[in-house]
Amino acid sequence: MKPLLILLLSASGLLAQSSKAVTTATLDESEVRITYGELKRLVAATLPKEPPAPPPPAAKAPPPMPAALLSALYHLDPQAGVITADMQVENFDGEWHTVPLAGAGAGVLTVEPKNARLIVAENQLCLITDKEGAQTIKLTFALGKGGQGTTLHLAASPVASLEVEELPAGKVLRLQHAATTQMLTGAGLAALPATGGDVTFTLEDERKAAQAPLATLTDDAVVSMATYTTQVVRDGSALTEGVVTVRHDHPARLILQLPEAGKLLQCHVNGEPVRPAVGETNRVEIPLDDPATDGAESEVKLSFTAALAALQAAEGELELALPQMPLFAKQIDWNVQLPAAYDLSFSGNVDPVTDETTAPGLHLRKSLCRDQQPQARIIYRKRSSN
């Protein structure tokens, strides 16, 4: 407004110098000349000021977990011989995520919807998705035949249960999770561990199951004998082959903790190939079927490989180990073979075999042990030519 006042005062001064008397009429007829810039500023000064723009909204905090398995409801159908799992998965931010659904040890027969993207990552069957919000995945697993347990590695889920609508006549369902056993004698609903893990489903004869208490102070299975042979070649590649004989009265599980560097190669039970459930830290779980008679034995054959340091030309040491078993084992025999050019000695928690044998290599033994891992430090030296 200051420029306007100055202009008005200037105009008043000019009028004062005029010989005419200053009246309202003369002021109305007067001309005021200003630059366009001054006019623009004068007009802008008369306009109402716009309120300040509101601050931008604060960024939304990311979800504490980008994606998760919210529920896993399993349904057992003995007539069809399948276990179906209805799983609800939610993606909270719409980005790409991998959600574990089950262990990869048990193969999936079908998946719905068919366009669901399933992969195997870190020995887990996983769903990969960038679809924001909840979605339902349905998986179908094969159920073992009567007396043959089916082991599934369940993914962690806050809601997990098993529904059974009907069981065959004279059959009961045994659920085994770690040291926990549940028995279903008919239609019903059973809670499953929210933490996930290996669960074995076994259809058993009702009469035989009634004779076996759920909790017992005796072992369900005992390793009568185990024999292993480990071969190590010059580049450090190692192959261990074993035969484990297990005596048991009811369906059981042989749990093995492979050495850290071990990779399971093959597994057979009573001459039939099986697909053991392989968990974290090389934990292998092998289901053993219901024996035909009490006190029968199952023969488990397995092999695993390992990549060790290459053998030195003159002398060196190797750290070797066998699988660790929680079952009581009467005797574990171990034959360690290296190339014939080396003389061998050892130290460890095993003993030398004094029985006469013609097989090459070191002959070691571990007797009357439970939940122990036979270990040996093998010292090798190049054999003298003299």
Side-chain angles (χ1 to χ4, degrees):
M1 298 296 294
K2 186 176 178 181
L4 180 58
L5 293 174
I6 295 175
L7 289 172
L8 293 176
L9 291 174
S10 301
S12 300
L14 292 173
L15 291 173
Q17 296 175 4
S18 174
S19 59
K20 297 181 180 180
V22 179
T23 64
T24 302
T26 58
L27 286 175
D28 290 340
E29 297 175 356
S30 300
E31 293 182 0
V32 179
R33 297 182 181 182
I34 59 174
T35 63
Y36 175 76
E38 290 294 334
L39 178 61
K40 184 178 179 181
R41 282 191 289 270
L42 290 174
V43 173
T46 62
L47 297 176
K49 294 185 178 180
E50 295 182 1
K60 187 178 180 180
M65 180 175 291
L69 175 63
L70 301 184
S71 66
L73 307 179
Y74 298 85
H75 177 83
L76 186 141
D77 187 348
Q79 300 298 330
V82 296
I83 299 175
T84 58
D86 290 311
M87 300 180 168
Q88 185 179 25
V89 176
E90 184 150 357
N91 186 333
F92 298 103
D93 60 8
E95 301 294 333
W96 281 104
H97 297 293
T98 302
V99 182
L101 301 180
V108 174
L109 297 178
T110 61
V111 57
E112 296 179 15
K114 293 184 178 181
N115 60 352
R117 301 180 180 95
L118 297 184
I119 64 169
V120 176
E122 298 181 356
N123 208 36
Q124 295 280 330
L125 186 67
C126 303
L127 171 72
I128 57 171
T129 178
D130 64 345
K131 179 183 177 182
E132 187 172 4
Q135 53 186 304
T136 299
I137 305 296
K138 184 176 182 179
L139 304 180
T140 304
F141 303 91
L143 180 65
K145 298 179 181 179
Q148 183 178 7
T150 301
T151 300
L152 298 181
H153 183 86
L154 310 185
S157 172
V159 179
S161 64
L162 172 71
E163 181 184 20
V164 180
E165 293 185 358
E166 184 180 3
L167 288 176
K171 296 292 184 179
V172 297
L173 177 66
R174 178 191 292 266
L175 301 179
Q176 186 76 35
H177 171 65
T180 302
T181 301
Q182 299 181 66
M183 298 291 290
L184 289 179
T185 59
L189 192 66
L192 298 176
T195 55
D198 293 334
V199 176
T200 300
F201 307 82
T202 308
L203 285 172
E204 299 181 2
D205 182 76
E206 184 178 10
R207 178 186 56 82
K208 192 169 184 179
Q211 298 173 355
L214 298 184
T216 176
L217 298 178
T218 61
D219 288 349
D220 292 332
V222 173
V223 175
S224 314
M225 180 69 182
T227 304
Y228 292 93
T229 299
T230 299
Q231 295 178 304
V232 184
V233 296
R234 294 186 185 276
D235 66 356
S237 299
L239 171 65
T240 299
E241 298 175 299
V243 179
V244 181
T245 304
V246 183
R247 181 176 58 81
H248 57 106
D249 298 332
H250 304 279
R253 295 178 300 160
L254 176 61
I255 298 176
L256 302 174
Q257 187 73 41
L258 296 183
E260 183 178 355
K263 300 295 182 184
L264 186 65
L265 187 61
Q266 287 185 332
C267 184
H268 292 76
V269 176
N270 296 328
E272 297 293 330
V274 297
R275 298 177 60 184
V278 181
E280 299 179 355
T281 65
N282 271 2
R283 183 177 183 271
V284 177
E285 184 173 326
I286 305 170
L288 305 179
D289 295 347
D290 192 0
T293 59
D294 291 346
E297 294 182 333
S298 294
E299 184 184 72
V300 179
K301 292 184 178 181
L302 71 151
S303 59
F304 61 91
T305 60
L308 309 175
L311 302 181
Q312 302 297 316
E315 62 180 27
E317 296 181 355
L318 287 176
E319 297 284 350
L320 298 178
L322 292 180
Q324 182 175 350
M325 298 182 293
L327 296 180
F328 176 81
K330 292 183 179 180
Q331 181 174 307
I332 302 174
D333 283 351
W334 188 11
N335 177 218
V336 179
Q337 300 178 4
L338 269 69
Y342 295 103
D343 290 320
L344 307 179
S345 58
F346 78 97
S347 62
N349 63 355
V350 289
D351 301 316
V353 175
T354 56
D355 304 342
E356 292 184 3
T357 178
T358 58
L362 282 174
H363 296 270
L364 311 174
R365 177 171 294 165
K366 185 76 173 173
S367 302
L368 305 180
C369 60
R370 182 197 300 271
D371 207 15
Q372 297 183 26
Q373 184 178 44
Q375 297 176 334
R377 174 176 292 177
I378 308 300
I379 300 99
Y380 58 89
R381 292 183 177 86
K382 187 175 182 180
R383 186 169 299 165
S384 174
S385 57
N386 296 333

